[in-house]
Amino acid sequence: MNSGLLYALLAFLLWGLFPLYFHAIKEVPPQEILAHRMLWSLLFLVVVLSVRQQWKWLPRVARQPRVLASFGASALLLTANWGVYIWAINNGHVIDASLGYFINPLINVLLGVLVLHERLRRRQWLAIALAASGVAWLTWQGGHLPWVALILGITFGCYGLLRKTAALEALEGLSLETMLLLPLALAYVGWLTWHGQNTFLHTPNDSTRWLLAAAGPITAIPLLLFAAGARKIPMAALGLAQYLAPTIQAMLGVWFFHEAFPPQRLIGFMMIWGALMLFVAEGLWVGRRAK
């Protein structure tokens, strides 16, 4: 239990610090960062799989078109999520990105109702309604939907739904997804190289080059820590720990990136935070009654 909680907290801590990494390579266009993230992640995962001699799953999966199609869909959702997140960080929307991961658990609940036909209790519906009111308030105050937060929350929610019923564990699944994305990443990086626009080759800063190469372990290590922790701790503890990442991101957005956070915006965030607190408290209360 203690080691599992430590692994989970480390994973969410690293995810929370992601904005600092993407800020450090802001000279690189978001779509190029995305392509390099795919390439270097796959290279790192290949090394990990080779060290662990964990390749028996690949020939079996290669003969299952449905599994390949499922992971092709999850790979596209992951690409959309990564791409929007990188763009948000490098364009002054760190707080909006954090909001996406605050509302993600509630989107997961809605997907469970709509797709898996799960049933919600009355207080859970109240939490959903309060979060929706917060999004509506932010939309009215800002004059437009908080589309960065909604895209991040919805794409990661749909990604989680596909992975919930996936045939592979976290390491093998991420490896297959990056393998499926490899042709797109190689084609884009090749096109950049052909036109002399490959930042990795032409940047005068060695630090940028090294940071791009570090995208592999930076992407994979938190996921491996998360997978290790999730097996050892209850879902309630995991659910509480997951709010560490967006909390750190929101704090970085205000104090490090100096993004505007007026009282009107705070009201919308407080409604969504209140919905999360209600949802978590209700789950803990029901769990205790069941025991």
Side-chain angles (χ1 to χ4, degrees), residues 52-289:
R52 300 179 63 173
Q53 298 182 346
Q54 202 168 330
W55 287 105
K56 293 182 180 179
W57 58 273
L58 188 56
R60 172 174 54 83
V61 169
R63 297 190 295 268
Q64 301 181 49
R66 285 189 177 182
V67 175
L68 292 175
S70 173
F71 276 92
S74 65
L76 292 177
L77 287 169
L78 192 61
T79 300
N81 185 271
W82 284 359
V84 172
Y85 183 80
I86 294 168
W87 179 90
I89 299 304
N90 288 350
N91 286 272
H93 294 280
V94 177
I95 296 176
D96 289 334
S98 73
L99 177 62
Y101 293 106
F102 274 121
I103 66 175
N104 172 248
L106 300 175
I107 290 175
N108 289 340
V109 173
L110 278 178
L111 289 173
V113 172
L114 297 174
V115 180
L116 302 179
H117 306 293
E118 297 175 353
R119 299 182 66 180
L120 295 184
R121 296 178 292 272
R122 184 181 303 172
R123 293 181 183 86
Q124 290 176 315
W125 278 116
L126 181 60
I128 297 291
L130 183 58
S133 300
V135 173
W137 171 265
L138 290 171
T139 301
W140 182 68
Q141 285 294 323
H144 58 82
L145 280 170
W147 64 270
V148 170
L150 290 176
I151 290 175
L152 289 175
I154 291 171
T155 54
F156 201 69
C158 293
Y159 174 77
L161 180 65
L162 286 177
R163 291 303 304 270
K164 181 179 176 67
T165 56
L168 298 175
E169 296 295 330
L171 175 59
E172 295 90 340
L174 182 61
S175 300
L176 180 58
E177 287 164 351
T178 49
M179 288 176 189
L180 295 173
L181 294 170
L182 179 62
L184 294 175
L186 282 177
Y188 183 67
V189 172
W191 183 88
L192 290 175
T193 304
W194 179 264
H195 291 84
Q197 299 175 16
N198 189 333
T199 307
F200 185 83
L201 297 177
H202 299 291
T203 180
N205 302 318
D206 286 337
S207 60
T208 299
R209 193 174 290 111
W210 283 107
L211 284 170
L212 280 174
I218 285 174
T219 297
I221 288 175
L223 183 66
L224 298 177
L225 287 170
F226 173 79
R231 295 189 184 97
K232 297 184 178 183
I233 62 176
M235 285 302 294
L238 189 66
L240 287 172
Q242 79 178 63
Y243 298 118
L244 178 63
T247 299
I248 294 173
Q249 291 172 12
M251 292 168 63
L252 286 173
V254 174
W255 293 328
F256 182 84
F257 295 97
H258 305 293
E259 293 185 14
F261 200 59
Q264 295 84 354
R265 197 178 190 189
L266 178 60
I267 292 173
F269 270 73
M270 289 181 66
M271 293 172 73
I272 293 169
W273 292 333
L276 292 172
M277 292 173 63
L278 174 61
F279 188 84
V280 171
E282 194 274 347
L284 292 174
W285 181 74
V286 171
R288 286 188 176 183
R289 284 194 62 186

Side-chain angles (χ1 to χ4, degrees), residues 21-43:
Y21 168 72
F22 292 118
H23 177 72
I25 51 175
K26 63 181 180 179
E27 67 175 275
V28 186
Q31 61 271 24
E32 186 176 352
I33 296 176
L34 178 61
H36 279 287
R37 191 176 184 184
M38 295 173 186
L39 294 175
W40 294 106
S41 295
L42 180 57
L43 178 61

